[in-house]
Each structure stands twice: as C-alpha cells, then as structure tokens.
Amino acid sequence: MAERIQPLSDVGPVRHVPAQSRTPARAPSFSELVHAHHAWWRGQQGGAPDHTAEAAYDSMHAAFEATHGKIARAYWCSDIPSAVALTEKKRLRGRVRSNFGFHRESDWATKNASDVAAELHRCDALAVRAKAVLTGVRQQICLELVVSCAANLLSLVDKRARSGDEESSAEALDRERAAIKKVESYYCEAANGQAQLIYFGGIAIVTLLIAVVATIWLSISWAAPVAALIAGALGAVVSVIQRINSGVFELEYDVGGPYTFFLGGLRPVLGGVFAMAITFAVSGGLVHLPVDAPAHSDSRRFALLVLAFLAGFSERWAQDTLTAIVPATPHAPAPAGSQSSQTASPPHERTPQKGADHE
C-alpha cells in the first residue's frame, strides 16, 4: 500500500515540537527525510503514535523545506522507505520564477524490481535534462509530468508486493513506459522551441549590429560590398524564419543556451560573407549580371542587392555559384588506343546535393 500526501501540514495535526529540535545542525538529505517519514508513518499505522519519531520528522521536514523549498508534490511508500517529491523554492518573494527540484529515493523499493528501477532512471535523466535546459513554465510542466510518472512507478512496486499479480503489473508498467515516452516527446518539443528563440535572438542581435555599422558606412559613401553585407544578413534572417514557420527547423538543444545563441549569431555573418563574395565575383567579371545598365546605375545596384539577398537566403546556392566559376582541373592525356573510364564534366554541371536545405 502506498499513500500520496501533501506536506505534513496538509496531512493532519502535528504535535508541537520545541524550537530547539526544529533546527538541525545541517540540512538533511532527501534520503534522511524519507526514512524519518517512514518511521513516523509506521507509528501512525500501528495505532501507537511515536512522538519522538513525529518530532524528528517535523524537524527534518522543516529543515529540508528551508533548504530546498516547499514540497509541492510528493509520493511516499508506506511499507518501505521510498518516495519521490517535487520542491518549489520561491525567489525574491515570488517576483522571480521559482526554482524547482526533483528528488527521489527508491533503492529499497526497487531492489527486487529491476524493470521498475530502469524506468525510474529514465525519469531521473529526464528531470536532469529539464532542469538544465528548460526554463519557466516549460520546466515546471515537464518536472510535474516526470514526478507523476515516477509516483505511478513506485505505486506499482507496492501493488506488486501486495497482490503478487505479475501480469497486471506488467501491463501497468507498459502503460507507464508509454507515458514516459510522451513526457520525453514533450521535453524535446519544448527544448527545441526554447532553443529556436535563443537561436533567433542571436540572429537578431548580430543582424542589428551589422545593419547599424553598414548604415553608417553607406550614409558616408556607397560601397557595394557593404550593401551586400546587409542584404545577405537579411536573407539569412528570412531563411531561418521560413524554416521555423514550416516546422522543420530543429536544433541541438542540449548544448545549452550560450552556444545556441553563438550559432545563431554566426548565421547572418555567414550570409553576409557569401553575399560579399558574390558581389566581388560580379565586380571582377567572374559572374555575369544580366542587367543592361551602367555600373553605377540604380538598376544595377538593385540587381546586385537581389543576388546578395539570395546568397544569404541560400548558402548552398551561393556555394554552387562560386564553385561553378572555378575552372575544371585539366586531365592528363590518355594513352593512344585507350579510352578513359571517366569523362570530365563541364564546369557548369554540378553533382546534385542530397536533401535540399537552405543552410
């Protein structure tokens, strides 16, 4: 049998304990709190309350919450000292988002249930990732779901020990595996969405810096490469927005926010560099601009800005365009009477790339 309870204040009347017993010398661990709760609960179930155990649990409970925050949700096994809990520690009196913590002690419950222990370890790993990667409401929701799955797993251990019905317990375990998989899917979607915001933040800030510097430069004198730098950076921004809107933009979210921000900041820089390279290729006569207009006319400038935007929008197109202007490597003449097994491709033909991508 297992019991789901709230913090001690919600369970029932608590015997008053002297103030000196409520202040342990150090903050207790969750394992110590679980054993104190188990000793108190055995006295309650036996019909002869142990006031010493009650006082020890009350003192340890208060010290634990003082360190880790209020126990917002908990599941306590009644026959064995095992439990899982979610703590919430408010910061700056609620003005800043609370700090949540996942706590589990179940070695006693799962020492003969390796299948349940494996799923609880999945919950541990998921809680660690949620704490390290997610923030705000996403983190709270994910941790709530993880605690719910862990609590249900612990209840299976109690039910298995009480009834011995392995078949129904196995079916329940399969349902919990499916539930954990759904929580993992939620984590991946939430983490990817959060990483997209950080990534786009890096893009926006770097693009803004490029635009400010380039605008100051162009206000003094026109320079095609500088104008192309802005157009290429904007092309990169539009490319990322399009991919996010299409739902196919996935990032490596477990690397952390700073690195994701750094990668986002590189995107407009790369787009601007490719745009400048295309501009230099046009100015040097390596790439023909199909516009019949003087070199300094507005029509030619607009056409060049369009090419620069395309270079930032699709780095692959820019790479292929620059690669096409490189002359083919000449082959050594084949011996008389022999045929070469390979035929050199013309410079304008390119090997198709697998999987179209703007990056």
Side-chain angles (χ1 to χ4, degrees):
M1 176 180 179
E3 180 188 25
R4 189 190 300 270
I5 69 172
Q6 295 297 325
L8 187 59
S9 58
D10 299 331
V11 176
V14 179
R15 179 176 176 270
H16 177 72
V17 183
Q20 60 270 18
S21 65
R22 289 180 174 270
T23 311
R26 61 177 179 81
S29 65
F30 186 66
S31 177
E32 292 172 325
L33 179 64
V34 170
H35 282 80
H37 174 274
H38 183 65
W40 164 77
W41 179 249
R42 280 189 306 178
Q44 295 291 322
Q45 291 295 96
D50 185 345
H51 297 298
T52 302
E54 183 180 0
Y57 172 56
D58 184 45
S59 174
M60 200 166 295
H61 181 275
F64 181 84
E65 286 195 335
T67 302
H68 300 281
K70 183 179 180 180
I71 298 179
R73 188 173 183 180
Y75 185 94
W76 311 82
C77 292
S78 57
D79 296 330
I80 43 182
S82 297
V84 61
L86 177 68
T87 57
E88 179 183 4
K89 188 171 186 178
K90 297 186 179 298
R91 297 182 295 176
L92 296 180
R93 297 182 179 181
R95 296 185 180 89
V96 182
R97 291 190 181 276
S98 301
N99 186 23
F100 293 90
F102 176 78
H103 309 271
R104 178 175 73 87
E105 175 59 48
S106 61
D107 291 342
W108 286 92
T110 59
K111 62 181 180 180
N112 295 322
S114 58
D115 50 354
V116 176
E119 300 309 313
L120 285 172
H121 285 310
R122 286 178 63 189
C123 292
D124 288 344
L126 194 53
V128 170
R129 296 172 71 188
K131 279 281 295 177
V133 176
L134 299 181
T135 58
V137 177
R138 293 185 181 93
Q139 183 189 88
Q140 180 179 356
I141 293 175
C142 191
L143 289 176
E144 288 272 5
L145 294 174
V146 170
V147 170
S148 178
C149 290
N152 291 336
L153 288 169
L154 283 181
S155 70
L156 292 180
V157 179
D158 281 344
K159 181 179 179 181
R160 182 180 297 180
R162 184 171 61 253
S163 65
D165 188 357
E166 294 290 339
E167 183 176 352
S168 61
S169 179
E171 294 176 358
L173 183 58
D174 289 337
R175 289 194 298 269
E176 291 308 316
R177 288 194 179 103
I180 295 175
K181 189 174 182 180
K182 290 182 180 179
V183 178
E184 289 175 338
S185 298
Y186 172 81
Y187 163 77
C188 292
E189 293 176 3
N192 189 61
Q194 182 174 285
Q196 287 178 358
L197 292 176
I198 299 174
Y199 186 89
F200 190 79
I203 291 178
I205 290 178
V206 173
T207 302
L208 181 61
L209 292 176
I210 291 175
V212 170
V213 174
T215 301
I216 295 174
W217 187 305
L218 293 176
S219 64
I220 299 174
S221 72
W222 169 263
V226 177
L229 179 63
I230 299 179
L234 292 177
V237 173
V238 174
S239 173
V240 172
I241 293 176
Q242 182 189 43
R243 294 178 62 191
I244 293 177
N245 189 55
S246 64
V248 296
F249 189 61
E250 295 186 1
L251 296 167
E252 189 66 32
Y253 37 78
D254 282 345
V255 297
Y259 187 67
T260 303
F261 184 89
F262 171 73
L263 292 179
L266 287 181
R267 186 67 176 86
V269 173
L270 290 175
V273 169
F274 276 113
M276 292 178 68
I278 293 292
T279 301
F280 288 133
V282 171
S283 301
L286 297 176
V287 175
H288 174 64
L289 189 63
V291 177
D292 188 12
H296 298 288
S297 65
D298 290 340
S299 298
R300 190 174 181 85
R301 288 178 177 177
F302 291 152
L304 192 59
L305 289 178
V306 170
L307 286 181
F309 179 87
L310 291 176
F313 182 82
S314 176
E315 293 177 5
R316 178 161 298 171
W317 174 83
Q319 293 176 27
D320 292 344
T321 302
L322 295 173
T323 303
I325 65 179
V326 179
T329 304
H331 292 271
S338 65
Q339 294 182 352
S340 174
S341 59
Q342 297 182 349
T343 303
S345 300
H348 63 276
E349 294 183 3
R350 300 182 296 274
T351 304
Q353 301 278 349
K354 182 182 291 185
D357 190 0
H358 293 311
E359 296 288 4

